[in-house]
Amino acid sequence: MLAVDGTCWDVADTQANEAAFGRPGSDRGSGRSAFPQVRMAALVEVGSHAVLDAELAGCRTGEVTLVSRLPRSTGPGQLVLADREFLGVPLWQAFAATGADLLWRVPANRVLPVTRQFRDGSWLSQICQSPRSVETIYAASPSARVAR
């Protein structure tokens, strides 16, 4: 079982780090944070927390951009978990194309159409980007979806 997520951390306040990674804005003082920041997106094994793949960039590069480079390290027989920030058809299709199974949260405000209701209360839906769509099954909670 694998998961994708991202984080930022402060690095030493040097001109080289500022040039390489940038600084996030701040509403205090000079309008910039005290330290440059690095952003990382990683693919980790959930049980051991082993980092299988990672992408690093400056703080102004988004997590979704970095995560889009990680499907290269997934494949059949792996279950990839992702938080609601990463739900989007192109990213979903990139991971699904590797043969991995996907379990990604969906934002609470995303209303998905019910295309088929099952006896156990779950239902089949689609996340669409014309003309392609991705089938999903509503699982245990409103934020859990399973690739089909």
Side-chain angles (χ1 to χ4, degrees):
M1 184 179 317
L2 309 177
V4 294
D5 207 355
T7 190
C8 281
W9 65 88
D10 294 339
V11 293
D13 188 10
T14 66
Q15 289 180 350
N17 281 342
E18 185 169 2
F21 305 116
R23 293 176 190 260
S26 172
D27 58 356
R28 298 181 183 177
S30 67
R32 60 187 199 146
S33 71
F35 296 96
Q37 285 190 345
V38 174
R39 184 175 313 274
M40 178 185 72
L43 176 70
V44 300
E45 199 284 322
V46 174
S48 67
H49 297 207
V51 176
L52 304 178
D53 196 356
E55 283 286 329
L56 301 171
C59 65
R60 301 212 186 278
T61 302
E63 288 182 5
V64 172
T65 299
L66 295 177
V67 166
S68 71
R69 301 172 189 160
L70 300 177
R72 65 185 176 217
S73 298
T74 63
Q78 296 175 321
L79 175 62
V80 180
L81 310 176
D83 206 357
R84 62 185 168 256
E85 173 184 352
F86 301 109
L87 182 68
V89 172
L91 195 54
W92 178 282
Q93 288 176 334
F95 277 92
T98 70
D101 295 310
L102 310 178
L103 179 61
W104 292 15
R105 289 185 61 193
V106 173
N109 64 354
R110 175 79 52 97
V111 178
L112 298 174
V114 176
T115 57
R116 184 173 167 203
Q117 184 81 37
F118 299 105
R119 280 187 265 152
D120 66 357
S122 63
W123 44 270
L124 181 68
S125 187
Q126 292 184 338
I127 301 170
C128 299
Q129 176 184 356
S130 214
R132 296 182 180 145
S133 66
V134 176
E135 288 188 335
T136 63
I137 293 179
Y138 169 79
S141 72
S143 62
R145 305 288 193 271
V146 179
R148 184 88 168 163

